[in-house]
Amino acid sequence: MRTFHAGFEPGRPPVRVRLGAGVRYQIGAEMAALGLSRSLVLTTAEQVQQGEAVRAELGAAAFGLFTRATMHTPVEITEAALEAAKGADCLVAIGGGSTIGLAKAIALRTDLPQIVLPTTYAGSEATPVLGQTANGTKETLRSPKVQPEVILYDPELVATLPAKLTVTSGLNAMAHAVEALYARDANPLSDQLALAGIRAFKDGLPRVVTDLGDLDAREATLFASWLCGTVLAQVGMALHHKLCHTLGGSFNLPHAETHAILLPHSAAYNAHAAAKALAPVAELFGGSVGGGLHDFAVALGAPLALRDLGFVERDLDLAADIAVKTPYWNPRPIERKAIRELLQRAWEGARPE
Ligand code: NAD
């Protein structure tokens, strides 16, 4: 582990976090504590039932329900939601990163407080970061305005997440923590958050996959998600997130699956350069960072190959070109040839060395 160095700052305002089965029934109490009485409930078309249930639970405190949250937060959806939010005094988001992204986009423009109920492990609720898309281009910004004020983690809500999304979303969250370990601005607090998150997912994800309705395991993995999301907010991300942003942004690959497939490969790329920072990961996963994470993904039944997401082999060259342009800081220099090889292995689903 790193030695303590004075002067690091967590750098985030405090957020109210509650975790436990049935905590979703506390939305009204949380609103009342903040002096709020007219919430716009947000979710996706696929989660309309969960949105309706929240609206019914809130009764008169629900001002409206907007069910058009969409991956990558398109600005035109935000504009429609802003219309729906006129007259509301807060936002209640029930969903994954897409729904929480919409709440953040509205909060950026209105300063409305946000109460969020995460139903995936992506971790957006714990960050002051917003990615939004205009004219086909995704921009990412950081602002205290977008950090949700209250997070209610209810394991009964995430228990409806299908097996495939459960696994890919969990690996997406673990990727935040793995990259945090070798971040340039890693600090003693971020190291502990990241390691606790990785350990909890390593223990909890196999249990959840065995029984999707295991509420103890769902609760443990939601806590892990908060740890990994919190660490994502604390330190800078590197090669892995750059590759995922490239493949998501330029080739429209799905978010969680792309993270899940690339994690063993990006970790392997950095395994030698960041050997000290990644030593606890190697130890947890059987001695080899990339190979161990690959074996873990195999055991969980995760997707392994970019070609299975519909990515065509001839686009690998272009993906490598884009990925090495304006690279994020990374512990190992970004070399075009090595990145192209990494992408080839990820495309094939090969086990990293
Ligand atoms: P998502 O929110 O798009 O959800 C994927 C699908 O699963 C959706 O159809 C959703 O309605 C459905 N779903 C979600 N939870 C469910 C549940 N419990 N039961 C049944 N269906 C459920 O997926 P995601 O991976 O959580 O979020 C991805 C988005 O979040 C991306 O746009 C990504 O950029 C963003 N994100 C942002 C940050 C940040 O800090 N800003 C962090 C992580 C992810």
Side-chain angles (χ1 to χ4, degrees):
M1 288 298 301
R2 277 173 201 83
T3 51
F4 181 84
H5 41 95
F8 80 89
E9 298 177 6
R12 297 176 59 243
V15 174
R16 184 163 163 77
V17 181
R18 296 179 68 180
L19 171 74
V23 77
R24 67 186 178 284
Y25 299 118
Q26 299 301 313
I27 306 170
E30 293 295 334
M31 284 176 60
L34 293 170
L36 304 166
S37 60
R38 296 183 312 281
S39 59
L40 177 66
V41 180
L42 305 169
T43 194
T44 62
E46 294 79 22
Q47 289 178 271
V48 67
Q49 277 186 338
Q50 286 180 320
E52 291 284 8
V54 167
R55 177 160 72 172
E57 173 67 22
L58 286 174
F63 171 82
L65 172 64
F66 184 90
T67 61
R68 290 168 55 201
T70 305
M71 182 92 72
H72 305 312
T73 326
V75 167
E76 55 279 14
I77 299 285
T78 302
E79 281 163 3
L82 282 167
E83 276 301 309
K86 280 185 181 152
D89 65 4
C90 66
L91 305 165
V92 171
I94 174 160
S98 297
T99 301
I100 294 166
L102 176 61
K104 289 174 158 184
I106 301 171
L108 178 73
R109 293 158 173 86
T110 61
D111 265 337
L112 286 176
Q114 307 168 66
I115 298 173
V116 301
L117 293 88
T119 64
T120 71
Y121 301 118
S124 177
E125 65 280 358
T127 81
V129 176
L130 167 66
Q132 53 182 355
T133 313
N135 306 318
T137 306
K138 188 161 179 177
E139 57 146 31
T140 301
L141 60 87
R142 185 176 272 266
S143 162
K145 281 186 176 192
V146 308
Q147 171 67 61
E149 282 75 5
V150 179
I151 309 174
L152 302 179
Y153 285 113
D154 191 327
E156 289 173 355
L157 293 178
V158 81
T160 62
L161 195 62
K164 188 174 163 218
L165 252 174
T166 294
V167 168
T168 53
S169 190
L171 293 170
N172 175 193
M174 283 176 68
H176 307 328
V178 170
E179 289 234 292
L181 288 175
Y182 54 63
R184 185 169 37 172
D185 49 354
N187 60 64
L189 175 61
S190 65
D191 285 348
Q192 294 306 318
L193 288 167
L195 281 174
I198 293 167
R199 279 198 197 99
F201 271 125
K202 179 179 181 277
D203 176 56
L205 271 183
R207 290 166 57 211
V208 172
V209 169
T210 305
D211 176 4
L212 294 176
D214 178 341
L215 290 184
D216 284 344
R218 285 292 191 181
E219 185 168 312
T221 44
L222 270 180
F223 180 57
S225 159
W226 178 75
L227 292 165
C228 294
T230 300
V231 87
L232 171 67
Q234 303 267 341
V235 297
M237 294 290 111
L239 171 69
H240 172 80
H241 282 72
K242 174 70 184 183
L243 290 176
C244 291
H245 291 165
T246 300
L247 296 178
S250 302
F251 300 93
N252 208 22
L253 292 194
H255 180 82
E257 287 93 326
T258 306
H259 271 273
I261 290 170
L262 284 177
L263 175 60
H265 300 281
S266 42
Y269 186 93
N270 286 327
H272 185 65
K276 197 169 162 210
L278 287 172
V281 178
E283 196 180 313
L284 273 174
F285 290 92
S288 144
V289 172
L293 286 169
H294 174 89
D295 297 343
F296 184 60
V298 170
L300 292 170
L304 301 173
L306 291 175
R307 65 176 159 199
D308 294 340
L309 302 183
F311 193 87
V312 289
E313 192 171 15
R314 66 174 176 278
D315 280 343
L316 287 172
D317 281 326
L318 178 58
D321 289 343
I322 300 173
V324 301
K325 228 185 267 172
T326 58
Y328 300 176
W329 178 87
N330 191 63
R332 173 177 164 191
I334 303 293
E335 298 148 7
R336 164 84 176 54
K337 185 169 171 287
I339 294 295
R340 176 65 179 79
E341 287 165 7
L342 179 165
L343 287 170
Q344 182 72 36
R345 283 192 295 275
W347 185 80
E348 291 167 4
R351 186 180 191 272
E353 288 133 33

